[in-house]
Amino acid sequence: MAKRHPTLFFDLLIFLLLALAVVLIGMKTYSGGSGYVEVRTHQAVYRYALSNDLEVTVDGPLGPTAIRIAGGKASIIDSSCPTKSCTLQRPIASSGQWIACLPNQVLLTIVGATADTEVDDVAI
Amino acid sequence: MSRSERTVAFVSAVTLLCSTLEFLIPKPLPFLRLGLANLPLLIILDTIGLRSYLAILLLKAIGQGMVSGTLFSYLILVSLSGTLASGLAMYGAKRLLASRVSLVGISLIGAFVSNLSQIAVAAAVVYGSAIWIAAPLMLALGLATSLVLGILAEHYRRTSTFAPLLTDPTFTLSQINTERRQGQSVATIAVMVTIAAIITADGLASLVAIVVVLYAMQKACNRKIRLAPALALLLSLLLLSLAEPNGRVLLALGHLAVTETALTNALLKALRLIALLSASQALVGTNPPLRGKAGSILVLTLAYFGRLTHAFGNTTGTIVSRIDQALLATAGEREGEQAVIGTTRPVHTPIVVVLATVVVAVAAVSRLW
């Protein structure tokens, strides 16, 4: 009889809705970690999470190279190399993409980021 | 004290008893919580006005802060947000759905909203967005425990002899004459200055020194030192720092790496928060003054809580009947007995002042360096 459990419908509905919410939050949390950028210089290895915006400088043999992380993308914004061609590279965001400054021996590689947000326009 | 004020103080005291019981129950996982303190809120939900209900929510959070000693630390923000948000959600849901929903549904909503708001505040105040990694697990566990709790609350509401009494107009709660221990105003001020110094201090070495001094200060204020919360905080911050690398790689294991800046930041944050927790303990230990109407209701809450804990210790039987016995014993207590609120042993004020001076000096030196 429905009368025996008059609250069953809403109790169950609340449980199912909240369980659904937990599943959705779980999917959002665990899908596509934003990853990090690995920076290799002639002396050391650095890692920076792509989720936090920041600017840092690392040292190469010619001098400092300035790196910017913004909006989940990494780029070289200044370098002590003669041509500064590395500063003209597009910011990188998805796993496997890289930017190198050969004269100053600085290499940026994206690790562990899944490109789920936008179409990769560099992959051509 | 009016009838409704007594009821507010009494129900708040019962939530404190429940959080104390919760603390005593052994759990397989340290962060798994039953949310027992929600039980009284669920049971009175039907019968209480919004104003009294809000007062109970506030008293529950503040009372827990006083009993656990975390009242003057960041943790009060986390627990206050959880209590207020979930309390209002439960109240709203009950008003909206009335008899179409049982306490099980209300309990589920309360736990979900509580966990969600606590994670949001913990992310903003302590851990940063990395803590959301733990959200799905916490929320899922919360659904399971709140289901059990809801069934328990529904069972208690049907079988308890005490719950109907609270709404019975012929029943009056006993008034306890309270006497608050003399506050140690010099020590209170010294600890407050210390808190300001902890916030401004910088550098790993000085914060380590400050933590050591603070533990001594906590001891001088007669508060027990517990290392588990500090270690849990330190470990969780260090673990989360792995998820968001920052700086030179010190040690790498696949995608996880200990990085220099992230490690330093986690240690700085953990030490500062541990020092603040300890300062909060010390501050509670100095019996800061509780003034005005709110203060006197809080004092009555703590008095009821003292009686309840005492009465609960003298009961036997199943948990529901033990709680009922304790409630009845406390509510019907004879008038005229004196309850003393606050720590009984004296605070070592001179030591506290000296230690506060040391902390201020360390903080000042750390800023100038």
Side-chain angles (χ1 to χ4, degrees), chain B residues 261-320:
Chain B
T261 315
L263 179 67
T264 316
N265 288 345
L267 284 175
L268 280 175
K269 191 168 216 169
L271 288 169
R272 198 187 306 277
L273 292 174
I274 289 168
L276 286 172
L277 263 181
S278 188
S280 168
Q281 293 281 356
L283 196 50
V284 170
T286 65
N287 292 346
L290 306 169
R291 295 212 181 86
K293 178 118 259 176
S296 57
I297 296 183
L298 182 56
V299 169
L300 183 61
T301 302
L302 294 173
Y304 278 137
F305 173 58
R307 285 281 160 81
L308 280 170
T309 335
H310 182 72
F312 187 80
N314 295 333
T315 56
T316 49
T318 67
I319 190 104
V320 170

Side-chain angles (χ1 to χ4, degrees), chain B residues 4-342:
Chain B
S4 71
E5 281 164 0
R6 285 189 204 183
T7 310
V8 163
F10 188 79
V11 177
S12 311
V14 180
T15 67
L16 296 186
L17 176 72
C18 290
S19 27
T20 311
L21 292 181
E22 163 110 42
F23 188 75
L24 297 176
I25 299 172
K27 284 173 223 86
L29 296 165
F31 53 89
L32 186 66
R33 291 184 320 163
L34 266 175
L36 269 187
N38 250 352
L39 258 181
L41 295 180
L42 285 168
I43 288 158
I44 53 151
L45 205 49
D46 255 341
T47 55
I48 201 156
L50 185 58
R51 265 177 62 105
S52 298
Y53 184 69
L54 281 175
I56 291 171
L57 293 181
L58 282 175
L59 282 168
K60 169 178 180 259
I62 294 170
Q64 280 171 351
M66 296 223 31
V67 174
S68 64
T70 55
L71 179 60
F72 303 102
S73 73
Y74 63 96
L75 276 181
I76 192 69
L77 294 176
V78 179
S79 68
L80 197 61
S81 73
T83 297
L84 285 180
S86 75
L88 288 175
M90 292 194 295
Y91 195 88
K94 186 70 203 175
R95 286 293 170 278
L96 201 68
L97 296 168
S99 61
R100 279 164 289 174
V101 70
S102 75
L103 292 183
V104 177
I106 303 290
S107 169
L108 288 166
I109 291 175
F112 186 83
V113 173
S114 167
N115 278 327
L116 207 59
S117 63
Q118 291 201 36
I119 296 168
V121 174
V125 185
V126 189
Y127 292 109
S129 57
I131 191 65
W132 283 99
I133 293 172
L137 182 65
M138 277 183 66
L139 291 170
L141 287 174
L143 280 192
T145 54
S146 62
L147 185 69
V148 174
L149 194 80
I151 294 169
L152 207 66
E154 196 59 52
H155 173 71
Y156 182 83
R157 191 175 63 168
R158 286 175 194 177
T159 56
S160 153
T161 45
F162 183 77
L165 278 183
L166 268 184
T167 45
D168 184 343
T170 60
F171 176 78
T172 31
L173 284 164
S174 70
Q175 166 80 50
I176 303 180
N177 291 324
T178 51
E179 178 202 301
R180 175 110 175 119
R181 280 271 159 198
Q182 186 67 42
Q184 309 279 333
S185 49
V186 175
T188 305
I189 293 166
V191 180
M192 284 162 128
V193 171
T194 307
I195 290 177
I198 295 168
I199 294 168
T200 53
D202 201 10
L204 280 181
S206 47
L207 277 165
V208 170
I210 286 176
V211 167
V212 173
V213 177
L214 254 299
Y215 276 134
M217 185 183 283
Q218 187 178 335
K219 199 81 197 150
C221 291
N222 284 321
R223 295 290 299 193
K224 237 182 261 166
I225 292 175
R226 293 195 302 126
L227 289 177
L231 285 178
L233 184 66
L234 182 66
L235 273 180
S236 56
L237 279 167
L238 287 178
L239 267 179
L240 285 177
S241 78
L242 298 179
E244 292 194 335
N246 184 354
R248 198 157 62 89
V249 175
L250 302 175
L251 186 76
L253 196 80
H255 281 197
L256 290 177
V258 180
T259 46
E260 204 172 6
T261 315
L263 179 67
T264 316
N265 288 345
L267 284 175
L268 280 175
K269 191 168 216 169
L271 288 169
R272 198 187 306 277
L273 292 174
I274 289 168
L276 286 172
L277 263 181
S278 188
S280 168
Q281 293 281 356
L283 196 50
V284 170
T286 65
N287 292 346
L290 306 169
R291 295 212 181 86
K293 178 118 259 176
S296 57
I297 296 183
L298 182 56
V299 169
L300 183 61
T301 302
L302 294 173
Y304 278 137
F305 173 58
R307 285 281 160 81
L308 280 170
T309 335
H310 182 72
F312 187 80
N314 295 333
T315 56
T316 49
T318 67
I319 190 104
V320 170
S321 93
R322 286 188 72 179
I323 290 177
D324 251 14
Q325 288 171 48
L327 294 182
L328 283 168
T330 304
E333 191 108 12
R334 281 169 163 274
E335 310 236 341
E337 282 175 57
Q338 198 83 341
V340 180
I341 313 298

